[in-house]
Amino acid sequence: MPRTEALRWLLVAGVCCLAAGCDDSDTQTRVGPKPTASSEPTDSIRKHVKPVDPSKVVAVKPTDSGGGGKPIPAAVESAPYPNPPTETRPAAVDIASEPRPENDNARALFAISSEIAETLKIRPTLVVWLIDKSAPSASVRGGMALGIPQASQRAIAKSKGKHPLSTAIVTYGDGVTMVTAEPVADTTQVSNLLSGIGEDKTESPVTFAAVNKAADQFLPYRAKGFAVLFVIAANQAGKDWSEYDQAVPKLREKAAQVFGMGQAISFGRPANVEPDKIPSESAALERIGLQYPPPNSDVMAENDLTDSGYGPYGLERLCHDTKGQFFRIRMPEQSPGWTTDASGDIDPALQKKYAPDYVSEKKYQELLNENKARMALHNAAMVPFTGVLRSDKKNLTTYFTRPKNEAQLANMITNAQRPAAEKSLDVDKLYDVLSKGESERSKLTGARWQVEFDLAMGRMLAAKARIDGYNSLLASIKQGKAFKDPKSSAFVLTRAETITSSSVLNKMATNSIMYLNRVLKEHPGTPWAVLAERELSSELPGWEMSEQ
């Protein structure tokens, strides 16, 4: 080769080596993969974007077709994905220095963010937030504009940004609105998205229609390699159960969990409210409405029991059926019903033991039909609120002085019987319904069913023994009962544990105490035990009559 030709080839080789060296230097100083088609899967649903304009929503768009993109096979769903650009991520949260939640709203969001973080450690995650727009859910809805971004930031920080997080917002009330037709990459935009969503005046929001539509809209992202979680913020659940039956199989098929947060259902049953209007933590109301005797009747003895331990039945069941969890928000005044730890949490084993049956309407009916005690309790709970015989003070002693005129005596006894007569019909109705289940109480299974029935029977028998025993003794005086001691001038009625004048009424009184004591012995640390103690500390169920 001529000398000049050889020099020319050496010069070309040197230039190539210099170029290669520059590329190596660039690779060493670059943070993350190059934004080229070869640096991330071509079918990723997240693309690198320019810094976000806060006034615009940046959506995460799927690439089912076009540009060479293809659906990701299920076998490679766990393949590593590049992190999103730092400018689309909310500010990091300092996990080590963050304070523990000060209230239940913060506690629920704290727990949900931890669930999201665990999923983010494994793969890219899409969180679909469903917000109830009905008036009863205003308290939990109000904190979402700030709560969702904060929970998202914490989840990203806790997962150390290993995989990207996307967010979708759905609101519902009397209809369903996809606030984000496609997920957004920047969770800091959520506050703007939720501002001005308004409130729907509906008593029965389309909860499960919203879940069903959200499943159709966002579960396809599961095939793109994203885990999909759903979070519902609501204080009540709708009754559109046909939509529930459509949604849950879809969620289960894609292993999509549902988490929820909202107010706890109150344990105490309010008076003057129709049974079918009372919210319940169970599939149906299973707690009788019966007034307490003095002194507890003056303060409505159940009103302070604000925490049943569970949220609305429909939401709890949805979380249960998808292996998620509902985080209840309690009233500011802590309910004294449950034995709790320092943070106010119920022992998980205790909560599981007394959990309602999260089953379909058909299965629930089967549970009622297979045991008379269950059916009787359910039917008794449907009886309107029942008042009881009231007196002015505990263990009231009543004097009936026999006048010389028998007509005056009859009139005096009739007036004394009137309050009892007014309550007797209502108490008898409750007794007729509930007592039909007593024969199968021994076959009743499940701690919740057992304690509900025992408390109901104990209280109802005590109420009936008080009224019937009082009436029975007054009737004997009215019929001309003679004094045993000729010197006596008055009959004295005093509260007692038994009613010696009647074997039937005496059995009612003693059985009421037996049922209530069984609640105390077998179910300590529960609201049922609290109410049994209050019943036992009220007026005794029996009467005794003496002379003076």
Side-chain angles (χ1 to χ4, degrees), residues 279-339:
S280 176
E281 74 276 16
S282 300
L285 204 60
E286 298 161 355
R287 197 163 301 128
I288 63 171
L290 180 64
Q291 186 181 25
Y292 283 75
N296 290 312
S297 61
D298 298 330
V299 293
M300 296 305 296
E302 295 180 351
N303 278 6
D304 62 333
L305 299 183
T306 60
D307 184 5
S308 69
Y310 310 91
Y313 173 76
L315 301 182
E316 286 272 16
R317 182 185 166 195
L318 179 63
C319 295
H320 175 272
D321 285 352
T322 59
K323 301 187 183 303
Q325 185 176 351
F326 186 87
F327 299 95
R328 77 192 193 286
I329 298 171
R330 299 155 296 181
M331 297 292 286
E333 297 79 17
Q334 295 297 306
S335 172
W338 296 97
T339 296

Side-chain angles (χ1 to χ4, degrees), residues 210-257:
V211 174
N212 195 25
K213 289 184 179 180
D216 289 339
Q217 184 80 1
F218 299 110
L219 281 180
Y221 287 84
R222 186 73 174 84
K224 305 296 179 180
F226 272 56
V228 182
L229 302 181
F230 294 79
V231 182
I232 298 181
N235 291 334
Q236 64 173 346
K239 300 178 180 179
D240 47 343
W241 291 107
S242 61
E243 296 279 354
Y244 182 98
D245 294 337
Q246 295 179 47
V248 169
K250 300 173 186 177
L251 296 167
R252 284 176 169 173
E253 181 184 0
K254 300 298 182 182
Q257 294 175 287

Side-chain angles (χ1 to χ4, degrees), residues 288 290 380 383 386 426-435 460:
I288 63 171
L290 180 64
V383 175
T386 303
D426 291 338
V427 172
D428 283 349
K429 183 177 180 180
L430 187 62
Y431 173 81
D432 291 342
V433 174
L434 189 57
S435 61
M460 182 272 298

Side-chain angles (χ1 to χ4, degrees), residues 30-357:
R30 187 184 305 277
V31 178
K34 296 181 183 181
T36 64
S38 61
S39 67
E40 67 179 49
T42 58
D43 43 8
S44 170
I45 67 171
R46 184 183 296 276
K47 301 297 182 183
H48 289 299
V49 295
K50 296 179 180 179
V52 177
D53 182 346
S55 65
K56 298 179 180 179
V57 172
V58 179
V60 178
K61 298 183 179 181
T63 56
D64 287 327
S65 61
K70 296 180 180 180
I72 297 177
V76 297
E77 282 187 358
S78 60
Y81 280 73
N83 292 332
T86 55
E87 58 265 32
T88 65
R89 261 189 236 158
V93 176
D94 184 356
I95 300 296
S97 63
E98 64 181 343
R100 296 295 297 176
E102 296 181 356
N103 55 59
D104 280 359
N105 288 68
R107 182 177 65 91
L109 286 167
F110 186 93
I112 289 170
S113 70
S114 296
E115 296 288 347
I116 298 170
E118 291 305 306
T119 307
L120 275 173
K121 292 176 182 179
I122 302 172
R123 56 167 57 95
T125 301
L126 165 59
V127 181
V128 182
W129 295 83
L130 297 103
I131 315 298
D132 183 358
K133 293 172 61 178
S134 66
S137 293
S139 62
V140 67
R141 180 175 67 247
M144 289 299 100
L146 293 178
I148 293 176
Q150 291 173 354
S152 301
Q153 292 167 16
R154 181 178 183 275
I156 292 171
K158 189 172 183 181
S159 67
K160 302 185 185 303
K162 188 174 182 180
H163 293 292
L165 174 65
S166 298
T167 303
I169 305 293
V170 178
T171 61
Y172 65 92
D174 53 13
V176 182
T177 301
M178 298 290 171
V179 178
T180 56
E182 296 175 337
V184 296
D186 186 359
T187 56
T188 61
Q189 300 174 48
V190 170
S191 296
N192 291 334
L193 293 173
L194 287 178
S195 63
I197 64 172
E199 182 173 282
D200 287 354
K201 295 182 178 180
T202 176
E203 295 183 359
S204 185
V206 290
T207 306
F208 305 125
V211 174
N212 195 25
K213 289 184 179 180
D216 289 339
Q217 184 80 1
F218 299 110
L219 281 180
Y221 287 84
R222 186 73 174 84
K224 305 296 179 180
F226 272 56
V228 182
L229 302 181
F230 294 79
V231 182
I232 298 181
N235 291 334
Q236 64 173 346
K239 300 178 180 179
D240 47 343
W241 291 107
S242 61
E243 296 279 354
Y244 182 98
D245 294 337
Q246 295 179 47
V248 169
K250 300 173 186 177
L251 296 167
R252 284 176 169 173
E253 181 184 0
K254 300 298 182 182
Q257 294 175 287
V258 179
F259 296 90
M261 57 180 292
Q263 285 184 355
I265 294 295
S266 177
F267 187 92
R269 175 172 166 172
N272 304 320
V273 179
E274 293 298 320
D276 61 349
K277 300 292 185 182
I278 298 176
S280 176
E281 74 276 16
S282 300
L285 204 60
E286 298 161 355
R287 197 163 301 128
I288 63 171
L290 180 64
Q291 186 181 25
Y292 283 75
N296 290 312
S297 61
D298 298 330
V299 293
M300 296 305 296
E302 295 180 351
N303 278 6
D304 62 333
L305 299 183
T306 60
D307 184 5
S308 69
Y310 310 91
Y313 173 76
L315 301 182
E316 286 272 16
R317 182 185 166 195
L318 179 63
C319 295
H320 175 272
D321 285 352
T322 59
K323 301 187 183 303
Q325 185 176 351
F326 186 87
F327 299 95
R328 77 192 193 286
I329 298 171
R330 299 155 296 181
M331 297 292 286
E333 297 79 17
Q334 295 297 306
S335 172
W338 296 97
T339 296
T340 59
D341 59 22
S343 67
D345 288 332
I346 302 171
D347 178 6
L350 195 66
Q351 199 168 26
K352 182 179 180 181
K353 180 180 179 180
Y354 293 96
D357 293 298

Side-chain angles (χ1 to χ4, degrees), residues 397 399-401 483 485 487-492 546-548:
T397 299
Y399 297 87
F400 292 95
T401 302
F483 290 115
D485 185 347
K487 297 180 181 180
S488 298
S489 60
F491 291 105
V492 182
S546 59
E547 298 176 2
Q548 181 175 312

